Amino acid sequence: MLEELQVLDPRGLSESVRDDLCREFDEVQRLELLSLPHIAVDEVRARIDTAIARALGVDDDFSMYRRLLAAEPLLSGHLPDSTGSRAVAW
């Protein structure tokens, strides 16, 4: 399965794009990421997503994906109960 996983080869990026990504890394590397259940509101993760999207020429706002991930029971620690409300999983 891992052999099929597509991974970005940075050698395929232009030098200026690699420089931009390195600059962004230098700026965010010491910033603290919020825990995964808070991924939807994590400004550092949003900044990283924006830098990568810009480097790849993707015009997308990844906040929707972060919100969806944050709602996942394994990340949020909440499971829906039979009434549709969220019960604590752990």
Side-chain angles (χ1 to χ4, degrees):
M1 177 188 254
L2 286 178
E3 295 82 19
E4 297 174 18
L5 183 65
Q6 293 189 8
V7 178
L8 176 67
D9 182 354
R11 297 171 296 187
L13 301 173
S14 71
E15 186 175 346
S16 66
V17 168
R18 285 193 312 267
D19 288 345
D20 290 344
L21 285 173
C22 287
R23 263 192 302 282
E24 189 65 28
F25 174 78
D26 288 341
E27 292 181 23
V28 300
Q29 69 177 324
R30 291 188 175 85
L31 300 177
E32 191 169 330
L33 296 171
L34 299 179
S35 62
L36 283 177
H38 303 285
I39 192 172
V41 295
D42 191 334
E43 293 181 16
V44 176
R45 290 180 199 275
R47 186 172 168 178
I48 293 167
D49 289 346
T50 299
I52 292 171
R54 191 178 315 120
L56 298 177
V58 176
D59 186 23
D60 198 350
D61 176 9
F62 290 98
S63 61
M64 175 188 69
Y65 303 111
R66 287 190 304 278
R67 282 194 308 274
L68 289 170
L69 281 170
E72 279 296 313
L74 288 175
L75 293 182
S76 69
H78 294 90
L79 297 173
D81 64 16
S82 61
T83 67
S85 66
R86 292 166 42 133
V88 175
W90 33 267

